[in-house]
Amino acid sequence: MNEKKLTIAITGLNNIDSPGPGVPVIRGIKDSGMNVRIIGLAYENLEPGIYMPGLVDKTYLMPFPSAGSKVFLERLEYIHEKEQLDIIIPNFDAELFLFIKYAPELLKMGIHTFLPTLEQFEERHKDNLPKFAKKYNVTVPKSKAVLTSNELADLPKEIAYPYYIKGKFYEAYKVDNYNQAVFYFNKLSSKWGLPVVVQQEIKGSEVNVIALGDGEGNTVAAVAMRKQYITDKGKAWGGITLNDEVLLEVTHRIIKETKWRGAMELEMIKTEDGEYHLIEINPRIPAWVYLAVGAGQNIPEMICQLAMGKKVKPVNNYEYGKMFIRYSWDLIGDIADFEKIIMSGEL
Amino acid sequence: MTKLNSLAISDNGFIFKPSTGESFTTNDMGLFIINLLKEGKSSDTIISAITDEFEVDAITAERDLYDYLDFLRAEKMID
């Protein structure tokens, strides 16, 4: 018996040097063998995923979330009218708030999502991390949310140079002096808004976990990874799966206590002494999700099943020592496709 | 499982440490030592085996073994 064809809309088609997760999410869904039609939702007309052969069945340009919820929802209604979407998987931090807030409206339209609650989303914000750490008993570096550059002159003593300065949604820079800190404060606040977060540097190796919570406290999937090659933007260009029991235990505990719903990425520093410091929680699928698929946990497929109300049996094992190596590839496109996406907002 | 047994060791001397994702390479003698350590052999037995297998005297074998144990300890591959 043929499974009903699901129409799944996916954002984050920007497979660039700071890649969005859309393309690997689509690859995971396609690998699962599900009967699907993939709709790409793009914010820029040169997002590579729009043009990659065999990836999306159709792409629609979306207004930036900053354009406001009305325009955003109207565009989704238009796309839904054309495509009868079953599921949307949003992949950008900056759009998540809108998708979470309007998830009930989307569901009324027949569009399913599987996202954290607004409370979960807000609670793990970079500027809330100290409170989060206290509530859930996890170790975090000392950090402070900064609203004006003047505050950089009077930071807690633990936040000594060099320290990290981080944008509200994306980007982090290591700074060695006050002038650098002010420069990056201005850059990050103008790009991502306020607050900007400053965070103590913890020496050690960065380890990450991609995980999926079912919203009832169960960890449905979790894969640990160490970045092997990091770009100047701090992005993993190569990584390897780990058998790190402590890291996975921390992940299971956080998901259990927060009753996390949806995908997440935990970014942690493991010190020489074997201590783990949580530096960030991303409330979405990370761009390296295809490594988890390759290691035996198809998280994009599981998200689709959970979004459609199906029960998913937790998967506890995966292959250690699986690696990913990212690469760039020049696609040759046609001006006619570019013209279509610019002139009609669809391709 | 002991730390040493959790390592993935290839016959060509490539070592993968799944708990950290680190990889190492080792020479024939290192591989020989690791395999004997995994079998639970004592230091004296290993030194004697090294002298039998490689053309080195007992003093050199002992020094090589303890240097190698220091390396394994520093990389947290043994306690």
Side-chain angles (χ1 to χ4, degrees):
Chain A
M1 190 177 72
N2 282 339
E3 215 178 306
K4 177 191 174 276
K5 187 173 219 171
L6 291 175
T7 302
I8 305 172
I10 291 168
T11 69
L13 305 180
N14 55 328
N15 230 34
I16 54 171
D17 60 343
S18 177
V23 171
V25 167
I26 295 170
R27 289 182 71 195
I29 290 172
K30 292 202 163 185
D31 283 5
S32 73
M34 288 165 66
N35 187 11
V36 292
R37 175 171 163 81
I38 300 290
I39 306 301
L41 303 179
Y43 290 98
E44 306 266 7
N45 50 36
L46 274 176
E47 290 183 20
I50 302 172
Y51 305 96
M52 289 171 70
L55 189 78
V56 296
D57 294 291
K58 173 109 186 186
T59 301
Y60 292 85
L61 278 184
M62 287 287 293
F64 283 109
S66 54
S69 55
K70 190 170 178 287
V71 184
F72 196 74
L73 285 173
E74 278 172 1
R75 182 64 174 161
L76 284 177
E77 278 169 17
Y78 168 81
I79 297 166
H80 185 51
E81 201 179 296
K82 295 260 184 190
E83 303 290 347
Q84 288 83 52
L85 303 176
D86 294 299
I87 300 171
I88 293 184
I89 304 180
N91 289 305
F92 283 122
D93 289 1
E95 67 186 4
L96 276 175
F97 176 79
L98 282 179
F99 277 108
I100 293 171
K101 187 172 176 192
Y102 292 102
E105 279 75 5
L106 294 176
L107 190 58
K108 275 183 207 157
M109 290 159 61
I111 306 173
H112 301 78
T113 54
F114 198 73
L115 299 168
T117 63
L118 257 190
E119 189 193 4
Q120 290 168 343
F121 178 73
E122 296 291 347
E123 191 177 50
R124 58 81 244 170
H125 262 305
K126 288 175 198 175
D127 48 322
N128 284 338
L129 208 55
K131 265 195 217 162
F132 183 94
K134 202 171 173 186
K135 185 171 172 187
Y136 298 109
N137 196 26
V138 286
T139 309
V140 294
K142 184 83 179 170
S143 67
K144 188 181 178 194
V146 177
L147 293 167
T148 68
S149 58
N150 291 341
E151 291 178 61
L152 296 169
D154 184 28
L155 295 174
K157 67 177 187 315
E158 294 91 341
I159 308 176
Y161 298 113
Y163 61 74
Y164 284 96
I165 182 160
K166 298 181 161 192
K168 186 176 177 182
F169 293 120
Y170 296 106
E171 292 185 55
Y173 297 94
K174 194 176 185 176
V175 295
D176 292 304
N177 57 55
Y178 179 73
N179 287 341
Q180 274 183 2
V182 172
F183 172 81
Y184 284 117
F185 173 88
N186 291 330
K187 182 182 165 106
L188 292 167
S189 58
S190 65
K191 194 165 177 184
W192 301 114
L194 290 169
V196 164
V197 174
V198 292
Q199 191 175 70
Q200 175 191 15
E201 184 198 28
I202 302 290
K203 291 206 187 299
S205 58
E206 187 180 333
V207 284
N208 301 280
V209 183
I210 179 174
L212 177 61
D214 68 357
E216 293 169 15
N218 301 306
T219 301
V220 177
V223 174
M225 180 274 283
R226 184 171 73 89
K227 293 177 183 176
Q228 289 180 298
Y229 188 115
I230 301 175
T231 68
D232 57 358
K233 289 194 172 176
K235 302 296 166 188
W237 212 250
I240 188 162
T241 55
L242 305 177
N243 175 19
D244 189 324
E245 286 170 14
V246 179
L247 191 55
L248 292 173
E249 190 274 319
V250 172
T251 306
H252 280 254
R253 189 162 58 76
I254 289 175
I255 288 183
K256 188 177 176 188
E257 291 183 15
T258 58
K259 290 193 164 41
W260 190 268
R261 187 174 187 274
M264 64 149 62
E265 181 193 27
L266 294 177
E267 295 184 359
M268 305 191 88
I269 300 289
K270 182 181 179 185
T271 66
E272 276 289 308
D273 303 331
E275 287 177 358
Y276 292 79
H277 297 254
L278 178 67
I279 54 172
E280 215 163 295
I281 298 180
N282 292 315
R284 55 166 170 79
I285 304 169
W288 58 273
V289 59
Y290 198 68
L291 177 66
V293 177
Q297 297 194 5
N298 194 330
I299 291 175
E301 180 191 9
M302 294 178 195
I303 288 175
C304 293
Q305 290 172 341
L306 288 166
M308 294 308 290
K310 292 184 184 166
K311 282 274 176 200
V312 176
K313 202 174 160 196
V315 183
N316 292 316
N317 56 330
Y318 59 89
E319 207 174 322
Y320 312 130
K322 273 282 172 192
M323 294 172 63
F324 80 92
I325 303 105
R326 222 163 249 163
Y327 65 98
S328 61
W329 180 268
D330 297 348
L331 283 177
I332 302 302
D334 194 291
I335 189 71
D337 288 343
F338 188 56
E339 180 187 326
K340 271 189 211 158
I341 197 91
I342 286 184
M343 298 309 290
S344 67
E346 301 176 20
L347 178 63
Chain B
M1 187 188 279
T2 66
K3 282 183 176 175
L4 208 53
N5 281 321
S6 73
L7 301 174
I9 304 165
S10 300
D11 291 344
N12 61 7
F14 183 82
I15 302 170
F16 171 59
K17 193 176 168 193
S19 60
T20 64
E22 292 167 296
S23 53
F24 307 86
T25 54
T26 189
N27 59 14
D28 287 347
M29 190 184 288
L31 191 60
F32 186 76
I33 293 171
I34 283 187
N35 285 330
L36 292 174
L37 287 171
K38 282 176 77 175
E39 288 171 19
K41 301 286 191 234
S42 69
S43 296
D44 287 346
T45 308
I46 296 174
I47 290 164
S48 164
I50 292 172
T51 56
D52 290 345
E53 184 73 19
F54 301 90
E55 289 178 2
V56 292
D57 57 38
I59 293 173
T60 309
E62 185 177 356
R63 193 189 60 213
D64 286 347
L65 172 64
Y66 288 113
D67 280 354
Y68 202 67
L69 289 174
D70 284 345
F71 160 74
L72 293 175
R73 227 170 264 122
E75 296 299 341
K76 298 188 172 67
M77 290 193 259
I78 57 171
D79 288 318

